[in-house]
Amino acid sequence: MTQLVLLGGGHAHLQVLRGLAQQPLERTEVTLVSPFRSLIYSGMVPGWLAGHYQSADCTIALGPLVARGGMRFVQAAAVSLDPAARRLRLDDGREIGYDVLSVDIGSAMDREAIPGASEHGLFVRPMEHFMERAQAALARAGHAVRDAVVVGGGAAGVELALALRYRLGAAARIGIVTGGPPVLEAYPAAARPRGRRAHQRGGVAVFEQSGRRGAAEPGPP
């Protein structure tokens, strides 16, 4: 029996699970390994942050997809991989062997790149943690005026900054820090001025100055 292990419940593996449920592979046991029982659809997170969606609107349950195809679900995170022995070690101490491994775990963020960020910031990934902690922070803030800074000038940073502007209102001060590169640097040149105009209309300040590495510190109470 061939052991196929799908590591991570990302977008690509959703399509794999769907395809295997419709047309199972012969003599193949399929196992999905993910630390989360649901997938947060990243494209809807800015809309959720703005208040347009409920968290349930952005969530896709993995369990029913796995069960539909007669597959196995293991809720755990992988901590190491031995490609020679073809084994995964999980954070609960278990090991899983495989013949074929597919990895779809999404991007990881360097939590030490900015001093103080782990203590005073919210990391967008994993999104399951971000939504939970952002919801708690917004509940604490209520309707009070707050300052919010988004680090990163890619498409996600642009959308999150504008979402915060909508959610917190005109009285809040919202900024984007890119550390030097212009906003939407990786996108076509025509997209960059559009991004700047969107920020200007939304009252979002953009800080592109490069220089020494900054640090995250707590704001005033």
Side-chain angles (χ1 to χ4, degrees), residues 3 17 28 39 54 64 96 110 122 133 156 159 167 178 206 221:
Q3 299 294 323
L17 291 171
T28 301
L39 166 71
Q54 300 296 315
I96 292 181
D110 184 357
L122 295 177
R133 293 166 185 171
E159 292 181 348
R167 179 72 172 264
T178 71
V206 178

Side-chain angles (χ1 to χ4, degrees), residues 80-93:
S80 66
L81 166 65
D82 185 344
R86 294 188 176 183
R87 298 193 68 82
L88 278 176
R89 188 162 65 88
L90 307 180
D91 58 358
D92 60 7

